[in-house]
């Protein structure tokens, strides 16, 4: 049986896995994560990943929409120092083991 502490330190859903896999590739917008991770509640998903010890920055950006109107959006960026932990969490998710 897994202890609560062990459960808190592992990926608990396919959404966690898909989002973290994408964050390892580079900065991701909410829209990108909605498409790849699925479901709603991307800020809550990011908070859940942060609770596992990952450092994920939220960076505000400005851009233009398809009609060239100004828009504001954010990107989530996995800090370089968190890449090793992210890779470990993904590996444990894929193999069903915990470190």
């Amino acid at each position: 049986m897994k202890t609560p502490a062990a459960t808190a330190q592992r990926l608990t859903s396919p959404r966690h896995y898909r989002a973290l896999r994408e964050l390892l590739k580079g900065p991701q917008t909410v829209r990108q994560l909605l498409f790849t991770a699925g479901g709603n509640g991307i800020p809550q998903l990011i908070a859940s990943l942060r609770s596992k010890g990952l450092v994920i920055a939220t960076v505000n950006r400005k851009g233009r929409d398809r009609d060239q109107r100004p828009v504001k959006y954010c990107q989530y960026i996995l800090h370089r120092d968190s890449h090793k932990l992210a890779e470990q969490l993904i590996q444990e998710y894929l193999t069903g083991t915990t470190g």
Side-chain angles (χ1 to χ4, degrees):
M1 180 172 152
K2 302 226 183 277
T3 65
T7 301
Q9 292 306 112
R10 64 184 174 90
L11 300 182
T12 57
S13 77
R15 289 182 68 220
H16 284 137
Y17 163 72
R18 290 188 299 263
L20 192 50
R21 184 184 65 201
E22 293 304 308
L23 286 166
L24 275 167
K25 294 177 184 177
Q28 301 291 317
T29 65
V30 170
R31 185 170 300 218
Q32 289 168 316
L33 289 174
L34 278 169
F35 180 76
T36 57
N40 291 319
I42 296 302
Q44 292 83 359
L45 179 67
I46 295 298
S48 177
L49 291 172
R50 287 175 175 149
S51 74
K52 296 173 188 328
L54 297 163
V55 178
I56 302 170
T58 303
V59 179
N60 293 313
R61 304 278 190 210
K62 293 181 181 180
R64 298 211 171 258
D65 68 11
R66 70 179 82 191
D67 298 318
Q68 298 306 309
R69 292 179 294 192
V71 295
K72 295 179 183 178
Y73 63 97
C74 75
Q75 283 185 313
Y76 294 108
I77 303 171
L78 180 66
H79 193 279
R80 188 78 184 134
D81 290 346
S82 288
H83 280 221
K84 185 176 179 180
L85 175 58
E87 291 166 357
Q88 177 186 337
L89 288 168
I90 286 173
Q91 185 62 32
E92 290 171 357
Y93 177 81
L94 292 173
T95 62
T97 62
T98 56

